[in-house]
Coordinates of all heavy atoms in Angstrom, one line a residue:
M284 N 87.6 104.1 113.3 CA 88.4 104.5 112.2 C 89.6 103.6 112.0 O 90.5 103.6 112.9 CB 88.9 106.0 112.3 CG 89.7 106.5 111.2 SD 89.8 108.3 111.2 CE 91.0 108.5 112.5
D285 N 89.6 102.8 111.0 CA 90.6 101.8 110.8 C 91.6 102.3 109.7 O 91.2 102.4 108.6 CB 90.0 100.5 110.4 CG 91.0 99.3 110.2 OD1 92.0 99.4 110.9 OD2 90.7 98.4 109.4
F286 N 92.8 102.6 110.1 CA 93.8 103.1 109.1 C 94.8 101.9 108.9 O 95.4 101.4 109.8 CB 94.5 104.3 109.6 CG 95.4 105.0 108.6 CD1 94.8 105.8 107.7 CD2 96.8 104.8 108.6 CE1 95.6 106.5 106.7 CE2 97.5 105.4 107.7 CZ 96.9 106.3 106.7
R287 N 95.0 101.6 107.6 CA 95.9 100.5 107.2 C 97.0 101.0 106.3 O 96.8 102.0 105.6 CB 95.1 99.4 106.5 CG 94.1 98.7 107.4 CD 93.3 97.6 106.7 NE 94.1 96.8 105.8 CZ 93.7 96.4 104.7 NH1 92.5 96.6 104.2 NH2 94.5 95.6 103.9
T288 N 98.0 100.2 106.1 CA 99.1 100.6 105.1 C 99.4 99.3 104.3 O 99.2 98.2 104.8 CB 100.4 101.0 105.8 OG1 100.9 100.0 106.7 CG2 100.2 102.3 106.6
T289 N 99.8 99.6 103.1 CA 100.1 98.5 102.1 C 101.1 99.0 101.1 O 101.1 100.2 100.8 CB 98.8 97.9 101.5 OG1 99.2 96.7 100.8 CG2 98.1 98.9 100.6
D290 N 101.7 98.0 100.5 CA 102.5 98.3 99.3 C 102.0 97.4 98.1 O 102.7 97.3 97.1 CB 104.0 98.1 99.5 CG 104.4 96.7 99.9 OD1 103.5 95.9 100.0 OD2 105.6 96.5 100.2
D291 N 100.9 96.7 98.3 CA 100.4 95.7 97.3 C 99.7 96.5 96.2 O 98.7 97.3 96.5 CB 99.4 94.8 98.0 CG 98.8 93.8 97.0 OD1 99.4 92.8 96.8 OD2 97.7 94.2 96.4
R292 N 100.2 96.4 95.0 CA 99.7 97.2 93.9 C 98.2 97.0 93.6 O 97.5 97.9 93.4 CB 100.5 96.8 92.6 CG 101.9 97.3 92.5 CD 102.6 96.8 91.3 NE 103.9 97.4 91.2 CZ 104.4 97.9 90.0 NH1 103.6 97.8 88.9 NH2 105.6 98.4 90.0
E293 N 97.8 95.8 93.6 CA 96.4 95.5 93.4 C 95.5 96.1 94.4 O 94.4 96.6 94.1 CB 96.1 94.0 93.2 CG 96.7 93.4 91.9 CD 96.2 94.1 90.7 OE1 95.0 94.3 90.5 OE2 97.1 94.4 89.8
E294 N 95.9 96.0 95.7 CA 95.1 96.6 96.8 C 95.0 98.1 96.6 O 93.9 98.7 96.8 CB 95.6 96.2 98.1 CG 94.8 96.6 99.3 CD 95.3 96.1 100.6 OE1 96.5 95.7 100.7 OE2 94.5 96.1 101.5
I295 N 96.1 98.7 96.3 CA 96.2 100.2 96.1 C 95.3 100.6 95.0 O 94.4 101.5 95.1 CB 97.6 100.6 95.9 CG1 98.4 100.4 97.2 CG2 97.6 102.1 95.5 CD1 99.9 100.6 97.0
K296 N 95.5 99.9 93.8 CA 94.7 100.3 92.6 C 93.2 100.1 92.8 O 92.4 100.9 92.4 CB 95.2 99.4 91.4 CG 94.6 99.8 90.1 CD 95.2 99.0 89.0 CE 94.6 99.4 87.7 NZ 95.1 98.6 86.5
S297 N 92.9 99.0 93.5 CA 91.4 98.7 93.8 C 90.8 99.8 94.7 O 89.7 100.3 94.4 CB 91.3 97.3 94.4 OG 90.0 97.1 94.8
W298 N 91.5 100.2 95.7 CA 91.0 101.2 96.6 C 90.8 102.5 95.9 O 89.8 103.1 96.1 CB 92.0 101.4 97.8 CG 91.5 102.3 98.9 CD1 90.9 101.9 100.0 CD2 91.6 103.7 98.9 NE1 90.5 103.0 100.8 CE2 91.0 104.1 100.1 CE3 92.2 104.7 98.1 CZ2 90.9 105.5 100.5 CZ3 92.1 106.0 98.5 CH2 91.5 106.4 99.7
I299 N 91.8 102.9 95.1 CA 91.7 104.1 94.3 C 90.5 104.1 93.3 O 89.7 105.0 93.3 CB 93.0 104.5 93.7 CG1 94.1 104.8 94.7 CG2 92.9 105.6 92.7 CD1 95.5 104.8 94.2
E300 N 90.5 103.0 92.5 CA 89.4 102.9 91.5 C 88.0 102.8 92.1 O 87.1 103.3 91.5 CB 89.7 101.8 90.6 CG 90.9 102.1 89.6 CD 91.3 101.0 88.7 OE1 90.9 99.8 89.0 OE2 91.9 101.2 87.7
D301 N 87.9 102.1 93.2 CA 86.6 102.0 93.9 C 86.1 103.4 94.3 O 84.9 103.5 94.6 CB 86.7 101.1 95.1 CG 86.8 99.6 94.8 OD1 86.6 99.3 93.6 OD2 87.1 98.8 95.7
R302 N 86.9 104.4 94.4 CA 86.5 105.7 94.9 C 86.6 106.7 93.7 O 86.6 107.9 93.9 CB 87.4 106.2 96.0 CG 87.0 105.4 97.3 CD 88.2 105.3 98.2 NE 87.7 104.6 99.5 CZ 87.7 103.3 99.5 NH1 88.0 102.5 98.5 NH2 87.2 102.7 100.7
N303 N 86.5 106.2 92.5 CA 86.6 107.0 91.3 C 87.8 107.9 91.2 O 87.7 109.0 90.8 CB 85.3 107.8 91.1 CG 84.1 106.9 90.9 OD1 84.1 105.9 90.2 ND2 83.0 107.3 91.6
G304 N 88.9 107.3 91.6 CA 90.2 108.1 91.6 C 91.1 107.5 90.5 O 90.9 106.4 90.0
I305 N 92.1 108.4 90.1 CA 93.1 108.0 89.2 C 94.5 108.5 89.7 O 94.5 109.4 90.5 CB 92.9 108.6 87.8 CG1 92.7 110.1 87.8 CG2 91.7 107.9 87.1 CD1 92.6 110.7 86.5
P306 N 95.6 107.8 89.3 CA 96.9 108.3 89.8 C 97.2 109.7 89.3 O 96.9 110.0 88.2 CB 97.8 107.2 89.4 CG 97.2 106.6 88.2 CD 95.7 106.7 88.4
G307 N 97.9 110.4 90.1 CA 98.3 111.8 89.7 C 99.6 112.2 90.4 O 100.1 111.5 91.3
M308 N 100.1 113.3 89.9 CA 101.3 113.9 90.5 C 101.1 115.4 90.7 O 100.5 116.1 89.8 CB 102.5 113.7 89.7 CG 103.0 112.3 89.7 SD 104.6 112.1 89.0 CE 105.6 112.8 90.3
E309 N 101.5 115.9 91.8 CA 101.4 117.4 92.1 C 102.8 118.0 91.8 O 103.8 117.4 92.0 CB 101.1 117.6 93.6 CG 101.0 119.0 94.0 CD 100.6 119.1 95.5 OE1 100.2 118.1 96.1 OE2 100.8 120.2 96.0
R310 N 102.7 119.2 91.3 CA 103.9 120.0 91.0 C 104.7 120.1 92.3 O 104.2 120.6 93.3 CB 103.6 121.3 90.4 CG 104.8 122.0 89.8 CD 104.4 123.4 89.2 NE 103.4 123.3 88.2 CZ 103.5 123.1 86.9 NH1 104.8 122.9 86.5 NH2 102.5 123.0 86.1
G311 N 106.0 119.7 92.3 CA 106.9 119.9 93.4 C 107.3 121.3 93.7 O 107.0 122.2 92.9
T312 N 108.0 121.5 94.7 CA 108.5 122.8 95.1 C 109.8 123.2 94.5 O 110.3 124.3 94.6 CB 108.6 123.0 96.6 OG1 109.5 122.0 97.1 CG2 107.2 122.8 97.3
G313 N 110.5 122.2 93.8 CA 111.8 122.5 93.2 C 111.7 123.4 92.0 O 110.6 123.8 91.5
E314 N 112.8 123.6 91.3 CA 112.9 124.4 90.1 C 112.2 123.8 89.0 O 112.0 122.6 88.9 CB 114.3 124.7 89.8 CG 115.0 125.6 90.8 CD 116.5 125.9 90.5 OE1 116.8 125.7 89.3 OE2 117.2 126.2 91.4
N315 N 111.9 124.5 87.9 CA 111.4 124.1 86.7 C 110.0 123.5 86.7 O 109.5 122.9 85.8 CB 112.3 123.0 86.0 CG 113.7 123.5 85.9 OD1 113.9 124.7 85.5 ND2 114.7 122.7 86.1
G316 N 109.3 123.6 87.8 CA 107.9 123.1 87.9 C 107.8 121.7 87.7 O 106.8 121.2 87.1
I317 N 108.7 120.9 88.1 CA 108.7 119.4 87.8 C 107.6 118.8 88.8 O 107.5 119.1 89.9 CB 110.0 118.8 88.1 CG1 111.0 119.4 87.1 CG2 110.0 117.3 88.0 CD1 112.5 119.0 87.3
Y318 N 106.8 117.9 88.2 CA 105.9 117.2 89.0 C 106.6 116.1 89.8 O 107.2 115.2 89.2 CB 104.8 116.5 88.1 CG 103.8 117.6 87.6 CD1 104.1 118.3 86.4 CD2 102.6 117.9 88.2 CE1 103.2 119.2 85.9 CE2 101.8 118.8 87.8 CZ 102.1 119.5 86.6 OH 101.2 120.4 86.1
T319 N 106.4 116.1 91.1 CA 107.2 115.2 91.9 C 106.5 114.5 93.0 O 106.9 113.5 93.6 CB 108.4 115.9 92.6 OG1 107.9 117.0 93.4 CG2 109.4 116.5 91.6
V320 N 105.3 115.0 93.4 CA 104.6 114.4 94.6 C 103.4 113.6 94.1 O 102.5 114.0 93.4 CB 104.1 115.6 95.5 CG1 103.3 115.0 96.7 CG2 105.2 116.5 95.9
L321 N 103.4 112.3 94.5 CA 102.3 111.4 94.1 C 101.1 111.7 94.8 O 101.1 112.1 96.0 CB 102.7 109.9 94.4 CG 103.8 109.3 93.5 CD1 104.0 107.9 94.0 CD2 103.3 109.3 92.1
G322 N 99.9 111.5 94.2 CA 98.6 111.7 94.8 C 97.6 111.0 94.0 O 97.8 110.3 93.1
I323 N 96.3 111.3 94.4 CA 95.2 110.7 93.7 C 94.2 111.8 93.2 O 93.9 112.7 94.0 CB 94.4 109.8 94.6 CG1 95.3 108.7 95.1 CG2 93.2 109.2 93.9 CD1 94.7 107.9 96.3
K324 N 93.9 111.8 92.0 CA 92.9 112.7 91.4 C 91.5 112.0 91.6 O 91.3 110.9 91.1 CB 93.1 113.0 89.9 CG 94.2 113.9 89.7 CD 94.4 114.2 88.2 CE 93.2 114.9 87.6 NZ 93.4 116.3 87.3
F325 N 90.6 112.7 92.3 CA 89.2 112.2 92.4 C 88.3 112.9 91.4 O 88.4 114.1 91.3 CB 88.7 112.3 93.8 CG 89.4 111.4 94.8 CD1 90.3 111.9 95.7 CD2 89.2 110.1 94.8 CE1 91.0 111.1 96.6 CE2 89.8 109.2 95.7 CZ 90.7 109.7 96.6
S326 N 87.4 112.2 90.8 CA 86.5 112.8 89.8 C 85.7 113.9 90.3 O 85.3 114.8 89.6 CB 85.6 111.7 89.2 OG 84.8 111.1 90.2
W327 N 85.3 113.9 91.6 CA 84.5 115.0 92.2 C 85.2 116.3 92.5 O 84.6 117.3 92.8 CB 83.8 114.5 93.5 CG 84.9 113.9 94.4 CD1 85.2 112.6 94.5 CD2 85.6 114.6 95.4 NE1 86.2 112.4 95.5 CE2 86.5 113.7 96.0 CE3 85.7 115.9 95.8 CZ2 87.4 114.0 97.0 CZ3 86.6 116.3 96.8 CH2 87.4 115.4 97.4
N328 N 86.6 116.2 92.4 CA 87.4 117.4 92.8 C 87.8 118.2 91.5 O 88.8 117.9 90.9 CB 88.6 117.0 93.6 CG 89.3 118.2 94.2 OD1 89.0 119.3 93.8 ND2 90.2 117.9 95.1
K329 N 87.0 119.1 91.1 CA 87.2 119.9 89.9 C 88.4 120.8 90.0 O 88.9 121.2 89.0 CB 85.9 120.7 89.5 CG 84.7 119.8 89.3 CD 84.9 118.8 88.3 CE 83.6 117.9 88.1 NZ 83.8 116.6 87.5
N330 N 88.8 121.3 91.2 CA 89.9 122.2 91.3 C 91.2 121.5 91.7 O 92.1 122.1 92.2 CB 89.6 123.2 92.4 CG 88.4 124.1 92.0 OD1 88.3 124.5 90.9 ND2 87.5 124.4 93.0
D331 N 91.2 120.2 91.4 CA 92.4 119.4 91.7 C 93.6 119.9 91.0 O 93.6 120.3 89.9 CB 92.1 118.0 91.3 CG 92.9 117.0 92.1 OD1 94.0 117.4 92.7 OD2 92.5 115.8 92.2
I332 N 94.7 120.0 91.7 CA 96.0 120.5 91.2 C 96.9 119.4 90.7 O 98.0 119.6 90.2 CB 96.8 121.3 92.2 CG1 97.1 120.5 93.5 CG2 96.0 122.6 92.6 CD1 98.0 121.2 94.5
L333 N 96.4 118.1 90.7 CA 97.2 117.0 90.3 C 97.1 116.8 88.8 O 96.0 117.0 88.2 CB 96.8 115.7 91.0 CG 96.9 115.7 92.5 CD1 96.4 114.4 93.0 CD2 98.4 115.9 92.9
K334 N 98.2 116.4 88.2 CA 98.3 116.0 86.8 C 98.1 114.5 86.7 O 98.7 113.8 87.4 CB 99.6 116.4 86.2 CG 99.9 115.9 84.8 CD 101.3 116.3 84.3 CE 102.2 115.2 84.6 NZ 103.5 115.3 83.9
E335 N 97.2 114.0 85.8 CA 97.0 112.6 85.6 C 98.2 111.9 85.1 O 98.9 112.5 84.2 CB 95.8 112.4 84.7 CG 95.5 110.9 84.5 CD 94.3 110.7 83.5 OE1 93.6 111.6 83.3 OE2 94.2 109.5 83.1
I336 N 98.5 110.8 85.7 CA 99.7 109.9 85.2 C 99.2 108.5 85.0 O 98.1 108.1 85.5 CB 100.9 110.0 86.1 CG1 100.5 109.5 87.5 CG2 101.5 111.4 86.2 CD1 101.7 109.3 88.5
S337 N 100.0 107.7 84.4 CA 99.6 106.3 84.2 C 99.9 105.5 85.4 O 100.6 105.9 86.3 CB 100.4 105.7 83.0 OG 101.8 105.6 83.4
W338 N 99.2 104.3 85.5 CA 99.5 103.4 86.7 C 100.9 103.0 86.7 O 101.6 102.9 87.7 CB 98.6 102.2 86.6 CG 97.2 102.5 87.1 CD1 96.0 102.5 86.3 CD2 96.8 102.8 88.4 NE1 95.0 102.9 87.1 CE2 95.4 103.0 88.4 CE3 97.5 103.0 89.6 CZ2 94.7 103.4 89.5 CZ3 96.7 103.3 90.7 CH2 95.4 103.5 90.7
K339 N 101.5 102.8 85.5 CA 102.9 102.4 85.4 C 103.8 103.5 86.0 O 104.7 103.2 86.8 CB 103.3 102.1 84.0 CG 104.8 101.7 83.9 CD 105.2 101.4 82.5 CE 106.7 101.0 82.3 NZ 107.6 101.2 83.3
E340 N 103.6 104.7 85.6 CA 104.4 105.8 86.2 C 104.2 105.9 87.7 O 105.2 106.1 88.5 CB 104.1 107.1 85.5 CG 105.0 108.3 85.9 CD 104.7 109.5 85.2 OE1 103.8 109.6 84.3 OE2 105.4 110.5 85.5
F341 N 103.0 105.8 88.1 CA 102.6 105.9 89.5 C 103.4 104.8 90.3 O 104.1 105.1 91.3 CB 101.1 105.7 89.7 CG 100.7 105.7 91.2 CD1 100.4 107.0 91.8 CD2 100.5 104.6 91.9 CE1 99.9 107.0 93.1 CE2 100.1 104.6 93.2 CZ 99.8 105.9 93.8
F342 N 103.3 103.6 89.9 CA 104.0 102.5 90.7 C 105.5 102.5 90.5 O 106.2 102.1 91.4 CB 103.4 101.1 90.3 CG 102.0 101.0 90.9 CD1 100.9 100.8 90.2 CD2 101.9 101.0 92.3 CE1 99.7 100.6 90.8 CE2 100.6 100.8 92.9 CZ 99.5 100.6 92.1
D343 N 106.0 103.0 89.3 CA 107.5 103.1 89.2 C 108.0 104.1 90.2 O 109.0 103.8 90.9 CB 107.8 103.6 87.8 CG 107.7 102.5 86.7 OD1 107.5 101.3 87.1 OD2 107.8 102.9 85.5
K344 N 107.4 105.2 90.4 CA 107.8 106.2 91.4 C 107.6 105.7 92.8 O 108.4 105.9 93.7 CB 107.1 107.5 91.1 CG 107.5 108.2 89.8 CD 107.2 109.6 89.8 CE 107.6 110.2 88.4 NZ 109.0 110.2 88.2
F345 N 106.5 105.0 93.0 CA 106.1 104.4 94.3 C 107.3 103.5 94.8 O 107.7 103.6 95.9 CB 104.8 103.7 94.2 CG 104.2 103.2 95.5 CD1 103.4 104.1 96.2 CD2 104.4 101.9 95.9 CE1 102.8 103.7 97.4 CE2 103.8 101.5 97.1 CZ 103.0 102.4 97.8
E346 N 107.7 102.7 93.9 CA 108.8 101.8 94.2 C 110.2 102.4 94.3 O 111.0 102.2 95.2 CB 108.8 100.6 93.2 CG 107.6 99.7 93.4 CD 107.5 98.5 92.4 OE1 108.5 98.4 91.6 OE2 106.5 97.8 92.4
K347 N 110.4 103.3 93.4 CA 111.7 104.0 93.3 C 112.0 104.8 94.6 O 113.1 104.7 95.1 CB 111.7 105.0 92.2 CG 113.0 105.8 92.1 CD 113.0 106.8 90.9 CE 114.3 107.6 90.9 NZ 114.3 108.6 89.8
Y348 N 111.0 105.4 95.2 CA 111.1 106.1 96.4 C 110.8 105.4 97.7 O 110.6 105.9 98.8 CB 110.4 107.5 96.3 CG 110.9 108.3 95.3 CD1 110.2 108.5 94.1 CD2 112.2 108.9 95.4 CE1 110.7 109.3 93.1 CE2 112.7 109.7 94.4 CZ 112.0 109.9 93.2 OH 112.5 110.6 92.2
N349 N 110.5 104.0 97.5 CA 110.3 103.1 98.6 C 109.1 103.6 99.5 O 109.2 103.8 100.7 CB 111.5 102.9 99.5 CG 111.5 101.7 100.3 OD1 110.8 100.8 100.0 ND2 112.1 101.7 101.5
L350 N 108.0 103.8 98.9 CA 106.8 104.4 99.6 C 105.8 103.3 100.0 O 105.9 102.2 99.6 CB 106.1 105.4 98.6 CG 106.9 106.6 98.1 CD1 106.2 107.4 97.1 CD2 107.4 107.4 99.3
V351 N 104.9 103.8 100.9 CA 103.8 102.9 101.3 C 102.5 103.7 101.2 O 102.5 104.9 101.3 CB 104.1 102.4 102.8 CG1 104.1 103.5 103.8 CG2 103.2 101.3 103.2
F352 N 101.4 103.0 101.0 CA 100.1 103.6 100.8 C 99.3 103.4 102.1 O 99.1 102.2 102.5 CB 99.4 103.0 99.6 CG 98.1 103.7 99.3 CD1 98.1 104.9 98.6 CD2 96.9 103.1 99.6 CE1 96.8 105.5 98.3 CE2 95.7 103.6 99.3 CZ 95.7 104.9 98.6
G353 N 98.9 104.4 102.8 CA 98.1 104.3 104.0 C 96.7 104.8 103.6 O 96.5 105.7 102.9
F354 N 95.7 104.1 104.1 CA 94.3 104.4 103.7 C 93.3 104.0 104.8 O 93.6 103.2 105.7 CB 93.9 103.7 102.4 CG 94.0 102.2 102.5 CD1 92.8 101.5 102.7 CD2 95.2 101.5 102.4 CE1 92.8 100.1 102.8 CE2 95.2 100.1 102.5 CZ 94.0 99.4 102.7
Q355 N 92.2 104.6 104.7 CA 91.0 104.3 105.6 C 89.9 103.8 104.7 O 89.6 104.4 103.7 CB 90.6 105.6 106.3 CG 89.5 105.5 107.2 CD 89.1 106.9 107.8 OE1 89.9 107.8 107.8 NE2 87.9 107.0 108.3
E356 N 89.3 102.7 105.1 CA 88.2 102.1 104.3 C 86.9 102.9 104.6 O 86.2 103.2 103.6 CB 88.0 100.6 104.7 CG 89.0 99.7 104.1 CD 88.8 99.5 102.6 OE1 87.8 99.9 102.0 OE2 89.8 99.0 102.0
K357 N 86.6 103.2 105.8 CA 85.3 103.8 106.2 C 85.6 105.0 107.1 O 86.5 105.0 107.9 CB 84.3 102.8 106.8 CG 84.0 101.7 105.9 CD 82.7 101.1 106.3 CE 82.3 100.0 105.4 NZ 81.5 100.4 104.2
T358 N 84.7 106.0 107.0 CA 84.7 107.1 107.9 C 84.2 106.7 109.3 O 83.6 105.6 109.4 CB 83.9 108.3 107.4 OG1 82.5 107.9 107.4 CG2 84.4 108.7 106.0
I359 N 84.3 107.5 110.3 CA 83.7 107.3 111.6 C 82.2 107.1 111.5 O 81.6 106.4 112.3 CB 84.1 108.4 112.6 CG1 84.2 107.9 114.0 CG2 83.2 109.6 112.4 CD1 85.0 108.7 114.9
R360 N 81.6 107.7 110.5 CA 80.1 107.5 110.3 C 79.7 106.3 109.5 O 78.6 106.0 109.3 CB 79.6 108.8 109.6 CG 79.6 110.0 110.4 CD 78.9 111.1 109.8 NE 78.9 112.3 110.6 CZ 79.6 113.4 110.4 NH1 80.4 113.5 109.4 NH2 79.5 114.4 111.3
G361 N 80.8 105.5 109.0 CA 80.5 104.3 108.3 C 80.4 104.4 106.8 O 80.1 103.4 106.1
T362 N 80.6 105.6 106.3 CA 80.6 105.8 104.8 C 82.0 105.5 104.3 O 83.0 105.5 105.0 CB 80.1 107.2 104.5 OG1 81.1 108.2 105.0 CG2 78.7 107.5 105.0
R363 N 82.0 105.3 103.0 CA 83.3 105.0 102.3 C 84.2 106.2 102.4 O 83.9 107.4 102.1 CB 83.0 104.7 100.8 CG 84.3 104.5 100.0 CD 84.0 104.1 98.6 NE 83.5 102.7 98.6 CZ 83.1 102.1 97.6 NH1 83.0 102.7 96.4 NH2 82.7 100.9 97.6
S364 N 85.4 106.0 102.9 CA 86.4 107.1 103.1 C 87.3 107.2 101.9 O 87.6 106.3 101.2 CB 87.3 106.7 104.3 OG 88.3 107.7 104.5
R365 N 87.7 108.5 101.6 CA 88.7 108.8 100.6 C 90.0 109.2 101.3 O 90.9 109.8 100.6 CB 88.2 109.9 99.7 CG 87.1 109.4 98.8 CD 86.8 110.5 97.7 NE 85.7 110.1 96.9 CZ 84.4 110.5 97.1 NH1 84.2 111.4 98.0 NH2 83.5 110.1 96.3
Y366 N 90.2 109.0 102.6 CA 91.4 109.5 103.3 C 92.5 108.5 103.0 O 92.4 107.3 103.2 CB 91.1 109.5 104.8 CG 92.3 110.0 105.5 CD1 92.6 111.3 105.5 CD2 93.1 109.1 106.3 CE1 93.8 111.8 106.2 CE2 94.2 109.5 107.0 CZ 94.5 110.9 106.9 OH 95.6 111.3 107.6
Y367 N 93.6 109.1 102.6 CA 94.8 108.3 102.3 C 96.1 109.1 102.5 O 96.0 110.4 102.6 CB 94.8 107.8 100.8 CG 95.2 108.9 99.8 CD1 96.5 109.1 99.4 CD2 94.2 109.8 99.4 CE1 96.8 110.1 98.5 CE2 94.5 110.8 98.5 CZ 95.8 111.0 98.1 OH 96.1 112.0 97.2
K368 N 97.2 108.5 102.6 CA 98.5 109.1 102.7 C 99.5 108.2 102.0 O 99.4 107.0 102.0 CB 99.0 109.2 104.2 CG 98.4 110.3 105.0 CD 99.1 110.4 106.3 CE 98.6 111.6 107.0 NZ 99.5 111.9 108.2
I369 N 100.4 108.9 101.2 CA 101.5 108.2 100.6 C 102.7 108.7 101.3 O 103.0 109.9 101.3 CB 101.5 108.5 99.1 CG1 100.2 108.0 98.4 CG2 102.7 107.8 98.4 CD1 100.0 108.4 97.0
H370 N 103.5 107.8 101.9 CA 104.6 108.3 102.6 C 105.8 107.3 102.6 O 105.6 106.1 102.2 CB 104.2 108.6 104.1 CG 103.5 107.5 104.8 ND1 104.2 106.6 105.5 CD2 102.2 107.3 104.9 CE1 103.3 105.7 106.0 NE2 102.1 106.1 105.7
N371 N 106.9 107.7 103.2 CA 108.1 106.8 103.2 C 107.8 105.6 104.2 O 107.1 105.8 105.1 CB 109.3 107.5 103.7 CG 109.7 108.6 102.8 OD1 109.5 108.5 101.6 ND2 110.3 109.7 103.3
R372 N 108.5 104.5 103.9 CA 108.3 103.4 104.8 C 108.9 103.6 106.1 O 109.9 104.3 106.3 CB 109.0 102.1 104.2 CG 108.3 101.6 103.0 CD 109.0 100.4 102.5 NE 108.5 100.2 101.2 CZ 107.5 99.4 100.9 NH1 107.0 98.7 101.8 NH2 107.1 99.2 99.7

């Protein structure tokens, strides 16, 4: 299991799109139900709680909060992985 991190926009976008994902935001825990947590909406997840956002909004917030994208290319069985983390540097 190879876990990597990057802040390269093209690498992040490519990884997400290769897995039929789109950028999203989850409603945060603060007042007013503001969407604050970045995530990925995958097409296969019908009960997803993420709201779709544009790539521009995704990367604007990614940079504003100085985040890094961690991801796994393949699972331990060798299949394409959808495992990722977005976290502080």
Side-chain angles (χ1 to χ4, degrees):
M284 180 166 75
D285 182 28
F286 191 79
R287 297 182 35 222
T288 59
T289 187
D290 62 0
D291 181 87
R292 288 176 174 225
E293 289 304 313
E294 187 174 18
I295 294 167
K296 187 175 179 183
S297 176
W298 187 92
I299 293 169
E300 289 179 340
D301 284 350
R302 288 153 178 81
N303 297 317
I305 55 175
M308 288 194 73
E309 181 178 342
R310 190 179 305 272
T312 57
E314 294 181 21
N315 303 323
I317 297 171
Y318 286 85
T319 59
V320 180
L321 288 178
I323 301 169
K324 283 182 66 106
F325 291 107
S326 61
W327 52 268
N328 190 347
K329 303 300 181 203
N330 296 321
D331 204 340
I332 60 172
L333 298 177
K334 172 182 94 167
E335 181 179 345
I336 61 173
S337 70
W338 282 112
K339 180 180 180 344
E340 185 176 0
F341 180 87
F342 285 119
D343 284 351
K344 293 197 182 297
F345 191 84
E346 289 178 7
K347 178 180 179 179
Y348 296 108
N349 198 28
L350 301 173
V351 67
F352 185 79
F354 63 98
Q355 178 183 341
E356 285 291 344
K357 297 200 180 274
T358 66
I359 206 159
R360 292 189 175 106
T362 60
R363 180 177 283 173
S364 176
R365 290 188 184 102
Y366 181 75
Y367 75 96
K368 282 187 169 191
I369 299 172
H370 53 87
N371 295 331
R372 289 180 196 266

